[in-house]
Amino acid sequence: MAAVTRGSFRVFKRLLSQQYYRRCYRLQNLRSDQTLQPLTFKCDRILQMFSNRTLHTAIMSRGPIVQFKLSDIGEGIMEVTVKEWYVKEGDKVSQFDSICEVQSDKASVTITSRYDGVIRKLYYDVDATALVGKPLVDIETESGSEVIQEEDVVETPAMAREEHTHQEIKGHKTQATPAVRRLAMENNIKLSEVVGTGKDGRILKEDILNFLAKQTGAILPPTPFQEVQTPGPALAPAAAAPRPVSTVAATKPPLTTPTPVFTSKDVTEPLKGFHKAMVKTMTAALKIPHFGYCDEVDLSRLVALRAELRPMAEGRGVKLSYMPFFIKAASLGLLHFPILNASVDEGCQNITYKASHNVGLAMDTSQGLLVPNVKNVQLLSVFDIACELNRLQALGAAGQLGTTELTGGTFTLSNIGSIGGTYAKPVILPPEVAIGALGKIQVLPRFDAAGHVFPAHIMKVSWSADHRIIDGATMCRFSNLWREYLENPATMVLDLK
């Protein structure tokens, strides 16, 4: 519109100028200069008035400037560190475009735009501390576009505070465009019942259509199967079976020795991000009276079973390690000892028995120690758990674990054996009440019932429990049941649902 207005102004100015010169030429011989001054002043006033109106129209055509604020990320987080800006002043953005990446003391979060427009101001520099509820950027929205006065979007993977699976979704905070929300409203569909397949769990139009198809019985073409490949444990054979073409492989960087750093002076820096979170978590954890229990497990039969199942899993595009068996065995044990899958309040006056088995896995990443968890293990098969572990390991290697993966855990296993070591003294992660540390698998001599020596695959396990609510006998019985499942994997079939 501004271009059209400027074109009209040029045409009008040209006409006024021609008329003005004609009148001036005619009146040159008839009137004096004093007579020409009012006409000149009048033409200038007309041009000035039209110019002002044109400028006013151009200004009014610009959209309003909206302050994009950092919304509540949850988990009581009040400040974050800006790690990277994906935009700069003057850049044009659309809805759901990434604006920046921030890091809290729990997870890295990508902030995306809710508006279409132009970035006018960045409020923070890289590594600066941004406060929840304060502006991050100013966005000049496009003229005529509808400014939706809703809370700003914080894009994390699925963004759910409560755990969810394909079978059950509780308290899921959905991410969807207005068009998708309108489509769901027109078909009387609750977005909380739809599983999003878009980026970071966003619900797409196809998800709504697939949900409708399931309700009406329509048949839709299947989605190509894609899984993430991760390397297996240290005992896995070097040769891998051929992978399907549709498999997306995630290469793990080779282990390298840390480069020694020599400095000439001391360096002091504030604790930020995950290091700051570790201070809070471990300070709270050491207030818990820990009870320790150690044992060893003969995994010889499990090693043979995994060797048999591994080619089948790789044929489906998934790397099968020992951890899915460890996690599933723990979940089966928690069904018999639910107090180990519980939490207590700060005053230790109430105990909450968790319905979901969200088993965490301590993971060593470039960002430090992180503990993502597999949701609802009690509903998953060993293969499902392997798929989820592949995904979590790929996200951890890429530094993209979000709040959903890192929160909501109810029980934890720490696989220290993947790095080295046998026994450990694991520290409970509040508000959980138990944790296990798994040592490396070693081939050691053992005696059979007849007294003969045979090579056995032995793994040490170390348990820690909250001694305020869990006694030693309970921890021991749970460990015995967990060990029985792993030493005789066929027994797990009896309890699988």
Side-chain angles (χ1 to χ4, degrees), residues 298-492:
D298 185 356
L299 299 179
S300 299
R301 294 183 180 178
L302 180 61
V303 170
L305 176 62
R306 173 181 172 269
E308 182 179 352
L309 297 178
R310 183 181 178 186
M312 302 179 189
E314 289 185 342
R316 301 184 189 182
V318 175
K319 194 74 172 182
L320 181 63
S321 66
Y322 293 100
M323 280 307 299
F325 297 96
F326 299 155
I327 293 174
K328 189 60 183 180
S331 177
L332 294 175
L334 294 176
L335 293 174
H336 295 272
F337 300 94
I339 195 172
L340 297 176
N341 194 59
S343 65
V344 293
D345 55 15
E346 293 184 1
C348 201
Q349 300 297 317
N350 300 285
I351 181 171
T352 302
Y353 295 88
K354 301 292 186 178
S356 299
H357 296 172
N358 299 338
V359 180
L361 175 66
M363 187 178 297
D364 180 36
T365 69
S366 58
Q367 297 173 304
L369 177 65
L370 300 179
V371 189
N373 58 83
V374 181
K375 310 291 187 184
N376 293 292
V377 175
Q378 78 280 3
L379 301 176
L380 303 179
S381 66
V382 172
F383 181 77
D384 294 334
I385 299 172
C387 294
E388 181 64 7
L389 285 180
N390 279 215
R391 187 184 71 88
L392 293 177
Q393 289 168 349
L395 290 176
Q400 296 178 352
L401 287 169
T403 305
T404 303
E405 287 85 10
L406 296 173
T407 57
T410 61
F411 186 87
T412 299
L413 293 177
S414 178
N415 187 17
I416 61 169
S418 61
I419 302 177
T422 53
Y423 289 108
K425 187 180 179 181
V427 180
I428 299 171
L429 300 176
E432 299 175 19
V433 296
I435 185 174
L438 312 176
K440 63 182 179 181
I441 302 175
Q442 299 172 289
V443 180
L444 300 174
R446 290 295 184 268
F447 292 92
D448 59 14
H452 301 122
V453 178
F454 69 95
H457 293 79
I458 302 300
M459 181 186 72
K460 314 292 186 180
V461 58
S462 306
W463 303 101
S464 292
D466 189 339
H467 212 356
R468 296 175 297 180
I469 61 172
I470 299 173
D471 53 42
T474 300
M475 191 75 252
C476 180
R477 293 188 181 99
F478 168 81
S479 180
N480 290 341
L481 180 59
W482 181 77
R483 182 187 63 193
E484 179 67 20
Y485 283 133
L486 296 178
E487 290 185 342
N488 301 283
T491 59
M492 285 196 291

Side-chain angles (χ1 to χ4, degrees), residues 78-331:
M78 299 305 298
E79 63 181 30
V80 296
T81 302
V82 179
K83 302 301 295 181
E84 182 180 1
W85 285 105
Y86 300 128
V87 296
K88 60 182 181 297
E89 294 182 3
D91 286 354
K92 187 174 182 180
V93 294
S94 302
Q95 292 187 40
F96 300 112
D97 283 354
S98 297
I99 292 181
C100 65
E101 179 183 352
V102 299
Q103 181 177 316
S104 69
D105 56 1
K106 296 183 182 294
S108 294
V109 180
T110 300
I111 308 297
T112 61
S113 175
R114 175 166 288 277
Y115 310 106
D116 297 330
V118 179
I119 302 295
R120 290 305 179 193
K121 181 179 180 180
L122 305 180
Y123 281 85
Y124 300 99
D125 297 326
V126 175
D127 290 333
T129 300
L131 302 178
V132 171
K134 299 298 182 181
L136 274 177
V137 296
D138 284 349
I139 301 179
E140 179 186 321
T141 58
E142 295 181 353
S143 178
S145 63
E146 180 182 1
V147 178
I148 304 174
Q149 297 297 333
E150 298 180 8
E151 68 173 20
D152 305 327
V153 177
V154 180
E155 288 293 342
T156 63
M159 188 70 191
R161 292 192 181 185
E162 294 292 333
E163 59 272 13
H164 72 279
T165 63
H166 289 268
Q167 293 83 8
E168 180 179 59
I169 298 180
K170 296 181 179 180
H172 183 72
K173 184 176 180 180
T174 57
Q175 300 292 339
T177 62
V180 173
R181 294 179 184 274
R182 189 181 307 110
L183 179 62
M185 186 183 303
E186 293 173 352
N187 292 276
N188 296 321
I189 296 176
K190 294 182 179 179
L191 290 178
S192 60
E193 299 177 354
V194 181
V195 178
T197 61
K199 180 182 178 182
D200 299 335
R202 186 180 305 124
I203 297 177
L204 306 177
K205 180 181 178 181
E206 291 76 12
D207 299 328
I208 300 295
L209 298 178
N210 289 334
F211 186 83
L212 279 174
K214 292 179 181 179
Q215 288 185 328
T216 58
I219 300 178
L220 296 179
T223 304
F225 176 76
Q226 290 187 348
E227 290 293 343
V228 180
Q229 281 283 21
T230 57
L235 290 180
R243 298 179 176 87
V245 177
S246 62
T247 301
V248 180
T251 56
K252 183 179 179 180
L255 295 177
T256 56
T257 303
T259 304
V261 178
F262 298 95
T263 58
S264 58
K265 60 180 180 179
D266 298 339
V267 178
T268 302
E269 60 183 17
L271 289 172
K272 295 181 180 180
F274 296 112
H275 294 286
K276 189 175 182 180
M278 186 177 294
V279 172
K280 295 179 181 179
T281 304
M282 293 298 101
T283 302
L286 291 180
K287 297 179 182 179
I288 301 173
H290 283 54
F291 167 80
Y293 179 81
C294 299
D295 202 354
E296 69 174 32
V297 186
D298 185 356
L299 299 179
S300 299
R301 294 183 180 178
L302 180 61
V303 170
L305 176 62
R306 173 181 172 269
E308 182 179 352
L309 297 178
R310 183 181 178 186
M312 302 179 189
E314 289 185 342
R316 301 184 189 182
V318 175
K319 194 74 172 182
L320 181 63
S321 66
Y322 293 100
M323 280 307 299
F325 297 96
F326 299 155
I327 293 174
K328 189 60 183 180
S331 177

